[in-house]
Amino acid sequence: MYKFSEPIYITRPLLPRLAGIHDQLFEIWENKQVTNHGVKHAELQRELAAYLNVDQLVLFANGTLALLLGLKALQLHGEVITTPFTFPATLQALDWNGLTPVFCDIDPVTLNIDVSHIESLITDKTSAILGVHVFGNPCNMTGIQQIADKYNLKVIYDGAHAFGSYIDGKPIGSYGDMTMFSFHATKLFHTIEGGALTYKDKNLTQQLNQLKNFGLDDDGGVALSGLNAKMNEIQASVGLEVLKLIGDERLKRDKVMDVYQHMLGEVEGITIYTKLRGQESSYQYFVIGIHEKKFGRSRDWVHEELKTYNVFTKKYFYPLCSTFHWYNHLESAQPDKLAQAHSVVEQALALPLYGDLDIQSAIHICEIIRSFKK
Ligand code: T4K
């Protein structure tokens, strides 16, 4: 069996030509505004709002701070219904706002919050539903909105993995009250570190801009208890260059996904969790589920064995957030209430997906995985 001579990771950052970055840096050096809302920041904010097709967008230093401050701007209180199957940052943004998560089990197909369980979790303390578009699979946004409208709850989406996708012909950032996007280097679109909020209520704009800048107002006062969560000019200029490459990158990732889909789609014991393509897809991750009994090997075994071939996959999102020691006393965190999440977290495995991964390498990865089947 083929063995890679160099390590293959689940992703590699999409890096623009250095000459383009140099030109951007030259302009920044010339005008000497390196952070605190300079021209690059303004330009990227405009370009991203257009690209994501949303009316309101504010940039942040990273996705976690964007979500944390977005939740604060919405003035939530008490409990927020959310998923245990996500990156810790989703929960940490709640924590830092003093909000209590109420964990909702997930749909085993989309891996997102299961709408049929939400109503039973609502109490008089519930103020919002925080859905995560896990691996770019969209939440059931119509179902969530119906419940939110009925109980007068806010809806926030963690769209860290959902950059640029359209669902039912609408940009994903236009659903709910607010959506967070992460621009970390591992994301399709990135600013090395960075993030943004898109949101419905334009009255929030001033507040969000203050919150990310220590709460300072325009009159020299301090209006809010904010933070430093500003995106600097170098981050913004990397974003401007990366944005030019996204169209091509999506096409390249589509070809890699084609190989995975054809070579792994029919293997007994393997489920493909990330099936969306074209404008619905964010092309962020390619994630499979490995069913130990049917495949003959566990997900953990496959993850470890692939390393001997120099292929480094990721067990996203292991462990479940509901098992963190500061949550495991919560009633909603009990494993019997989260049966699907506990099952999926033992099966999910993210495979390498990035434009520079050549087709032959994707074929080798599939051949290696297929050779594991018992
Ligand atoms: N909500 C959700 C649902 C999220 O998934 C995330 C972040 C957030 C919120 C918070 O957004 P940010 O505050 O991060 O904007 C990575 C990322 O650091 C994190 O942004 C991301 N989600 C998470 C899913 O993945 P790790 O610890 O798994 O990444 P790491 O360093 O192992 O990188 C993965 C692979 O990528 C490496 O094996 C090699 C490659 N890589 C990585 C980096 C950073 C490179 O080739 N070059 C690089 O510079 O967290």
Side-chain angles (χ1 to χ4, degrees), residues 9-13 62-65 86-87 89-90 132 158 160-161 180 182-187 193-195 285 314 316-317:
Y9 299 106
I10 58 153
T11 193
R12 301 258 82 183
N62 59 57
T64 308
L65 289 172
T86 182
F87 197 61
T90 314
V132 181
D158 177 333
H161 307 169
M180 177 277 273
S182 162
F183 305 151
H184 182 262
T186 53
K187 302 297 186 291
E193 293 272 2
Y285 292 112
K314 278 267 182 175
Y316 289 139
F317 287 107

Side-chain angles (χ1 to χ4, degrees), residues 106-170:
I106 61 169
D107 176 309
V109 176
T110 66
L111 314 184
N112 292 323
I113 200 162
D114 183 340
V115 172
S116 69
H117 293 311
I118 294 179
E119 273 194 275
S120 65
L121 298 169
I122 295 174
T123 70
D124 54 4
K125 297 197 192 100
T126 310
S127 59
I129 301 167
L130 170 55
V132 181
H133 304 306
V134 173
F135 307 140
N137 287 347
C139 292
N140 175 347
M141 295 179 283
T142 311
I144 289 176
Q145 197 59 55
Q146 275 166 2
I147 298 171
D149 291 344
K150 184 168 163 192
Y151 294 92
N152 197 21
L153 305 174
K154 296 282 187 209
V155 177
I156 306 103
Y157 290 110
D158 177 333
H161 307 169
F163 183 84
S165 69
Y166 277 71
I167 305 302
D168 294 331
K170 278 178 58 181

Side-chain angles (χ1 to χ4, degrees), residues 47-322:
E47 287 207 11
L48 280 177
Y51 187 91
L52 295 174
N53 200 356
V54 291
D55 294 331
Q56 274 88 235
L57 181 143
V58 170
L59 294 172
F60 290 85
N62 59 57
T64 308
L65 289 172
L67 185 58
L68 191 156
L69 294 175
L71 294 169
K72 183 167 169 97
L74 291 172
Q75 299 182 340
L76 305 182
H77 51 81
E79 297 174 350
V80 174
I81 297 172
T82 193
T83 173
F85 189 65
T86 182
F87 197 61
T90 314
L91 275 299
Q92 286 159 351
L94 291 174
D95 263 359
W96 282 84
N97 277 288
L99 294 163
T100 305
V102 174
F103 293 106
C104 180
D105 205 2
I106 61 169
D107 176 309
V109 176
T110 66
L111 314 184
N112 292 323
I113 200 162
D114 183 340
V115 172
S116 69
H117 293 311
I118 294 179
E119 273 194 275
S120 65
L121 298 169
I122 295 174
T123 70
D124 54 4
K125 297 197 192 100
T126 310
S127 59
I129 301 167
L130 170 55
V132 181
H133 304 306
V134 173
F135 307 140
N137 287 347
C139 292
N140 175 347
M141 295 179 283
T142 311
I144 289 176
Q145 197 59 55
Q146 275 166 2
I147 298 171
D149 291 344
K150 184 168 163 192
Y151 294 92
N152 197 21
L153 305 174
K154 296 282 187 209
V155 177
I156 306 103
Y157 290 110
D158 177 333
H161 307 169
F163 183 84
S165 69
Y166 277 71
I167 305 302
D168 294 331
K170 278 178 58 181
I172 201 157
S174 67
Y175 287 89
D177 292 288
M178 189 174 267
T179 299
M180 177 277 273
F181 294 97
S182 162
F183 305 151
H184 182 262
T186 53
K187 302 297 186 291
L188 173 88
F189 168 77
H190 73 93
T191 57
I192 300 181
E193 293 272 2
L197 290 174
T198 61
Y199 49 96
K200 205 154 264 170
D201 179 3
K202 51 172 166 307
N203 295 319
L204 291 176
T205 304
Q206 187 189 34
Q207 218 188 119
L208 289 170
N209 281 320
Q210 288 176 348
L211 281 171
K212 71 174 185 181
N213 190 27
F214 313 100
L216 302 181
D217 64 22
D218 293 338
D219 307 320
V222 185
L224 297 163
S225 178
L227 276 178
N228 182 358
K230 290 167 275 125
M231 177 180 283
N232 67 47
E233 289 292 275
I234 298 179
Q235 285 171 286
S237 57
V238 169
L240 287 167
E241 293 302 306
V242 173
L243 198 54
K244 297 174 188 164
L245 309 177
I246 296 299
D248 206 33
E249 177 71 8
R250 285 170 61 89
L251 294 175
K252 288 183 183 166
R253 291 186 184 202
D254 192 66
K255 295 207 170 81
V256 175
M257 280 180 77
D258 239 5
V259 172
Y260 285 148
Q261 208 114 29
H262 280 104
M263 292 189 68
L264 299 177
E266 303 297 315
V267 178
E268 197 203 359
I270 291 183
T271 306
I272 294 174
Y273 288 133
T274 43
K275 287 208 174 100
L276 296 180
R277 305 287 283 276
Q279 68 159 206
E280 285 191 323
S281 177
S282 61
Y283 291 100
Q284 177 57 50
Y285 292 112
F286 189 89
V287 184
I288 58 172
I290 297 174
H291 191 283
E292 184 172 359
K293 285 214 176 82
K294 293 184 188 153
F295 188 69
R297 304 284 193 186
S298 70
R299 184 275 313 272
D300 289 354
W301 188 93
V302 172
H303 171 74
E304 286 305 318
E305 193 64 14
L306 278 170
K307 289 182 192 169
T308 67
Y309 294 84
N310 239 344
V311 178
F312 296 87
T313 54
K314 278 267 182 175
K315 296 195 270 180
Y316 289 139
F317 287 107
Y318 184 90
L320 280 185
C321 297
S322 49

